Amino acid sequence: MSEVLEDRRFQEWLRRAVGEDRADELRKSLDEFAQREKPVITLFGAFDTGKSAIARRLLVDAGLDVPEWLTISARHETFESRHVEVDGYVLQDTPGISDPDVDLPTDLRAEVNTRQAMDAIALTDVACIVVNPQLPTGERDQLLALIEEGWIPGSLIVVISRFDDAGANPLYDLDGYRDRAANKVAELRRSLELDETIPIHVVVPDFEQVAGASSSPDPTVWDESRDFDGMSDLAAAFSHVATRDTRALRAAAVARFWASHVRRALLSSEAELEDLEAGLNHAEGLIKRRDIQISQLDVLDAAARVSIMGAVEDAINASVRRQSVSAEGIQSSVDHVLETWWLRECAALDKLASEAGVTFERQRERPGWQVLTQLFEPDAGPAAKDGQRKYAGRLGGVTDKVKSSFDAVKKLEEAAKETPKEASGGATKAVANASKSVPKVEVAVHALPAIVELAGLIEDIVQDKQAAKRRRERRDELHKQVRGIAQDAADQALVSWQHEVEATRATIAESVGIDDEQVDALKTSVDEVRATVVAGRRLMAI
Ligand SMILES: Nc1nc2c(ncn2[C@@H]2O[C@H](COP(=O)(O)OP(=O)(O)OP(=O)(O)O)[C@@H](O)[C@H]2O)c(=O)[nH]1
Ligand SMILES: [Mg+2]
């Protein structure tokens, strides 16, 4: 009862960790396995250790046909886990596993093979671990983890294969060969921490490759090696499994199945969490920088708005003091002032945008950016060991926006590639150059009389106090009108300015390559995966 409960908890957790589809797939494969009447023995180990050669030898010696799929060669040879019935048991041949640190990150085939083999070994009554005479190195950790998986007595068998490669020729020095075999067995027992109850066979399934790649050799080709090749003992050990209580083996297999998938999924969830946290960390740093730059932009904008008013007013006042006041004179002096203002302020904008470009370009060179792009890339990133796509599914599930954001990130990456070092602000230069012509501003001509009058008033020498007061009032009023003209001109210029500010704001936001919504999606993912990891750890501690 408690086992059933435990299985259910494992299954529920797996649904959460690897998704419904994968969990259903696992459930289905377990059901198929559970229906097999005969016990399943699985050959498992690194590639090229002679697993398929062992299977062929057992079949040929038992007078059975060798299925077409059972091929033998010095390359990665087996790509799928397949079953063949031998002597009261079902033999499962699997692809060779690879060292996750050496082969997996680069070699997709090695990755797929390993995953297939891992799936197969999670669905077996008996495991037969096959190693070569050099003993496991790269795959040692995977084997150690497998050995810990709760094998009931008699359900774990270890084989050192191809022992004619070990350096002692049994045809000339059988004692030397046997000594060497005994030493290897002891060494392997220590290395894989195997106690005496776990049998270790030393075998030569195809002495000096006499059968080579042949699919159906005559069994007599191995007659020369039968005295020492250990294959009849191994065949007897396998056949013995068929005489055992299959129900006990099966119950243990089912329990191992869920626990082993939970363990594997937990390992990849932990790795995923680490990547997601690194990605989030980087993303939050980018957003913080972006916010600083946006607030600098706001300050610059406010200052520019204040300064334009004063500048235009000064320009008009200056033309008033000239000898002859004309519409053209005022226009050209306003034009001049505006141009100076515009060039100065736009240069400040460009500087800001360019700083943003440089900042974020630098950020893109940091490892955190790689993590981040991987998180959003639909097809990139290593597949998790248990077959799920590591991130894309998860982030895609959180929000569609996140998925589409990949395009934006990709574009930025490409832009960064196209404009290498000289591109300090390369992305922003385009914006800086575009549409930055000085805005054309029309000074209201109908206001010219007021300005001319003002000019006249300024020149007058005032004697009479009353008249002086009236003129001062008139002058103030005219000044007001002039300020109105200035305001009008400034407002016209500010329309263009507003465009520039918004374009710069967009440039800064785009340079970041990530937006708030994406950061929120990342946060949600981190929380979700963290909760899954915590629950998984709790489950494994049962
Ligand atoms: N010397 C010697 N070579 C062997 C023996 N058994 C197999 N080989 C050779 O070892 C190579 C690998 O054999 P396979 O049986 O294909 O190995 P595998 O473990 O099934 O390999 P994968 O399917 O890639 O995982 C082949 O070139 C075989 O001819 C043996 O007993 N002695
Ligand atoms: Mg093979």
Side-chain angles (χ1 to χ4, degrees):
M1 184 62 202
S2 82
E3 262 173 27
V4 174
L5 192 71
E6 203 171 288
D7 280 359
R8 221 184 47 221
R9 285 215 201 106
F10 281 152
Q11 286 183 59
E12 273 164 17
W13 184 83
L14 274 168
R15 282 193 185 284
R16 205 167 131 186
V18 302
E20 296 286 324
D21 290 353
R22 172 72 175 153
D24 286 345
E25 202 182 285
L26 291 176
R27 168 91 253 165
K28 221 176 107 205
S29 63
L30 180 66
D31 289 346
E32 275 168 23
F33 169 74
Q35 275 164 18
R36 284 187 186 279
E37 279 172 22
K38 295 183 174 151
V40 176
I41 301 177
T42 301
L43 296 165
F44 179 86
F47 60 90
D48 222 21
T49 47
K51 300 179 292 300
S52 300
I54 291 173
R56 175 184 64 184
R57 176 73 187 271
L58 292 169
L59 286 163
V60 172
D61 278 351
L64 297 165
D65 287 342
V66 176
E68 244 173 59
W69 53 260
L70 188 60
T71 53
I72 290 133
S73 90
R75 295 164 284 128
H76 277 270
E77 184 60 26
T78 307
F79 301 107
E80 242 185 294
S81 304
R82 301 289 283 264
H83 298 86
V84 59
E85 207 171 312
V86 190
D87 179 19
Y89 62 91
V90 172
L91 190 61
Q92 181 174 218
D93 190 22
T94 63
I97 57 167
S98 300
D99 181 348
D101 294 330
V102 177
D103 303 303
L104 292 192
T106 49
D107 187 344
L108 187 67
R109 188 190 49 189
E111 182 186 328
V112 172
N113 283 351
T114 300
R115 204 188 316 137
Q116 289 239 7
M118 297 300 286
D119 282 353
I121 201 64
L123 267 182
T124 193
D125 296 301
V126 173
C128 176
I129 295 176
V130 183
V131 302
N132 61 26
Q134 289 79 53
L135 302 188
T137 45
E139 79 277 23
R140 183 171 169 268
D141 288 347
Q142 285 153 287
L143 296 183
L144 282 171
L146 176 70
I147 289 163
E148 273 177 21
E149 274 187 12
W151 301 91
I152 61 169
S155 64
L156 186 61
I157 297 170
V158 179
V159 165
I160 305 174
S161 180
R162 298 177 57 171
F163 208 70
D164 55 333
D165 280 345
N169 191 324
L171 292 181
Y172 306 120
D173 179 12
L174 192 55
D175 288 343
Y177 174 87
R178 295 219 158 102
D179 279 352
R180 198 170 279 237
N183 287 338
K184 272 291 168 195
V185 167
E187 195 187 328
L188 184 62
R189 222 175 258 297
R190 278 194 305 274
S191 164
L192 293 183
E193 298 156 23
L194 301 166
D195 64 44
E196 293 293 333
T197 64
I198 296 166
I200 300 180
H201 293 256
V202 177
V203 302
V204 184
D206 186 25
F207 181 57
E208 290 180 344
Q209 293 177 282
V210 284
S214 166
S215 66
S216 50
D218 190 290
T220 57
V221 293
W222 296 303
D223 284 353
E224 196 181 21
S225 66
R226 289 189 191 278
D227 286 347
F228 57 83
D229 66 21
M231 284 305 295
S232 62
D233 282 354
L234 185 65
F238 281 8
S239 298
H240 179 68
V241 170
T243 66
R244 294 193 43 181
D245 173 8
T246 312
R247 272 178 315 176
L249 282 174
R250 193 55 52 86
V254 171
R256 256 195 328 268
F257 175 79
W258 292 118
S260 104
H261 279 288
V262 167
R263 183 178 59 81
R264 279 164 59 194
L266 181 58
L267 279 176
S268 53
S269 292
E270 283 169 345
E272 185 182 3
L273 179 61
E274 218 173 273
D275 285 352
L276 281 168
E277 281 175 335
L280 177 61
N281 205 346
H282 189 69
E284 283 178 333
L286 290 174
I287 294 291
K288 210 182 270 170
R289 278 194 175 81
R290 179 204 65 185
D291 290 346
I292 291 171
Q293 271 155 347
I294 293 289
S295 65
Q296 282 171 351
L297 176 68
D298 289 338
V299 169
L300 199 154
D301 180 29
R305 282 167 188 280
V306 169
S307 70
I308 192 176
M309 229 347 251
V312 177
E313 223 175 308
D314 287 353
I316 296 174
N317 285 337
S319 43
V320 163
R321 278 186 215 102
R322 288 207 193 104
Q323 286 299 319
S324 60
V325 181
S326 69
E328 290 77 26
I330 294 169
Q331 182 73 57
S332 96
S333 110
V334 168
D335 280 351
H336 176 71
V337 156
L338 272 181
E339 189 178 333
T340 311
W341 171 84
W342 180 259
L343 293 176
R344 188 185 65 225
E345 298 302 337
C346 282
L349 272 190
D350 285 351
K351 190 161 167 262
L352 198 63
S354 145
E355 275 165 8
V358 174
T359 305
F360 295 116
E361 203 173 307
R362 263 191 225 128
Q363 291 302 313
R364 276 196 288 273
E365 279 158 18
R366 291 177 56 178
W369 177 256
Q370 260 78 52
V371 175
L372 209 52
T373 49
Q374 262 197 16
L375 290 179
F376 290 110
E377 187 162 1
D379 294 315
K385 289 194 188 92
D386 53 2
Q388 59 170 327
R389 276 282 152 207
K390 245 179 159 181
Y391 316 110
R394 183 168 303 287
L395 291 181
V398 174
T399 160
D400 283 346
K401 178 84 167 61
V402 174
K403 251 196 248 160
S404 68
S405 70
F406 164 68
D407 290 339
V409 171
K410 200 80 198 163
K411 243 186 271 158
L412 276 162
E413 259 188 328
E414 271 155 22
K417 262 183 237 143
E418 276 164 19
T419 50
K421 292 298 149 212
E422 47 84 22
S424 305
T428 58
K429 248 180 216 155
V431 174
N433 291 336
S435 77
K436 291 244 166 115
S437 49
V438 183
K440 278 280 154 258
V441 167
E442 294 291 329
V443 176
V445 179
H446 66 262
L448 190 61
I451 296 173
V452 175
E453 192 186 343
L454 181 65
L457 280 181
I458 288 169
E459 296 306 316
D460 270 359
I461 299 156
V462 181
Q463 305 286 340
D464 165 0
K465 274 198 176 169
Q466 273 302 313
K469 190 176 172 244
R470 268 202 310 282
R471 281 179 194 178
R472 212 180 307 118
E473 282 167 2
R474 178 71 189 138
R475 197 175 57 190
D476 287 348
E477 195 191 311
L478 289 168
H479 263 303
K480 224 161 103 195
Q481 283 185 39
V482 168
R483 218 169 294 130
I485 301 166
Q487 181 72 59
D488 193 38
D491 285 350
Q492 289 177 54
L494 283 175
V495 172
S496 307
W497 170 247
Q498 181 73 28
H499 284 305
E500 295 305 327
V501 171
E502 290 319 316
T504 308
R505 196 184 299 280
T507 305
I508 292 172
E510 272 168 28
S511 327
V512 190
I514 189 159
D515 62 25
D516 297 301
E517 211 175 310
Q518 289 170 315
V519 175
D520 285 346
L522 262 178
K523 264 189 215 145
T524 311
S525 298
V526 166
D527 290 347
E528 209 179 276
V529 178
R530 192 180 291 130
T532 307
V533 165
V534 168
R537 283 182 186 151
R538 214 179 292 137
L539 205 56
M540 291 307 278
I542 287 172

